[in-house]
Amino acid sequence: MHVVHTIAALRAALPVPGSCVFVPTMGNLHDGHLALVRQAAAHGLPVVASIFVNRLQFAPHEDFDRYPRTLARDCELLSSAGCSIVFAPDEAEMYPEPQGFKVQPDPAIADILEGHFRPGFFTGVCTVVLKLFGAVQPRIAVFGKKDYQQLMVIRRMTRQFALPIEIEGGETTRAADGLALSSRNGYLSDTERAHAIELAQALATLARQFSEGGTPLATLEARACQALAERGWQPDYLSVRRRTDLGIPADDAPRSGDWVALGAARIGATRLIDNLEFSG
Ligand code: PAF
């Protein structure tokens, strides 16, 4: 496995555009990332994984400075999962001058849910992903469904800019108790970790109640938030959306169909997100 730090070295290692499968990450890797790398490797093309903590997608009060940088360990894990090239640029390589050009994603999909609570987040994500796509020039890129809205935003960006890249979603990897693996789980205390599954449980309850019908969705969502708050969480949102476009289902629309329940909530100082695809 090669580890390269510059776009020039990446191009030298991979001179033919459209010849690799790409897994972008911010490092501090866990089994969820490695599952994406194994999924990428199953295509039989070289796998490129990037490791770059992207300042542009962090708000000033968020955890950019304390986000763990664990390059040596990450490289060992990536090598064992079948990665061929690690692209680990520093900030000067990715942003040699102030990034004046930015991607402004469609507000219909990027200013809701995560985008509502983290203004500018998807601008930062799309800008770095477009730049990474330009550097890596992959044929396929794999993004985890754990960041469900991110996957949908990237899909739409790729389609609307006619980028010759297939975007593939990877299933969420979960711990034995069902907690979605996340780099931020490492911030949890033992007590918080024991309670962290409650977010996924709240989403499962919301999905079941929505499918049963009868009660307006807004009422169910408010109850779900309240139930989590009573357990000591600070919920940002728990919501059921159409899987196609993350639109809000109308109250008089049939509840048969393909839905996703998405949620974000803080336990202690740690903000977790999760989602559950389901069919009514
Ligand atoms: O999902 C992530 O880890 C990041 O948002 C990504 C896609 C690597 C962009 O920085």
Side-chain angles (χ1 to χ4, degrees), residues 151-279:
L151 169 62
M152 296 199 64
V153 169
I154 297 296
R155 269 196 211 287
R156 194 172 289 192
M157 175 183 83
T158 304
R159 191 177 73 219
Q160 291 203 357
F161 285 131
L163 305 178
I165 300 168
E166 186 189 323
I167 305 298
E168 207 173 83
E171 294 304 324
T172 301
T173 305
R174 295 181 182 274
D177 68 346
L179 176 67
L181 296 194
S182 161
S183 302
R184 291 190 168 98
N185 293 352
Y187 298 151
L188 299 171
S189 69
D190 289 349
T191 312
E192 289 164 353
R193 173 63 189 83
H195 285 272
I197 184 57
E198 290 166 0
L199 175 59
Q201 289 170 340
L203 290 172
T205 303
L206 176 60
R208 180 175 47 73
Q209 292 174 340
F210 175 79
S211 300
E212 283 166 6
T215 312
L217 176 58
T219 307
L220 297 177
E221 291 176 349
R223 275 189 208 152
C225 284
Q226 193 186 337
L228 265 190
E230 282 166 7
R231 290 170 171 269
W233 291 70
Q234 295 162 269
D236 280 348
Y237 61 85
L238 280 91
S239 192
V240 173
R241 298 297 173 108
R242 286 192 295 267
R243 244 190 266 176
T244 45
D245 60 358
L246 296 185
I248 300 173
D251 270 331
D252 56 359
R255 292 199 174 175
S256 54
D258 290 335
W259 312 106
V260 56
L262 306 104
R266 218 170 283 279
I267 182 166
T270 306
R271 187 173 184 276
L272 300 181
I273 64 170
D274 201 352
N275 65 80
L276 173 69
E277 290 183 316
F278 67 102
S279 297

Side-chain angles (χ1 to χ4, degrees), residues 135-155:
V136 177
Q137 303 183 82
R139 184 183 306 175
I140 301 166
V142 184
F143 290 80
K145 285 191 188 179
K146 158 76 169 42
D147 297 296
Y148 201 88
Q149 189 178 1
Q150 170 174 278
L151 169 62
M152 296 199 64
V153 169
I154 297 296
R155 269 196 211 287

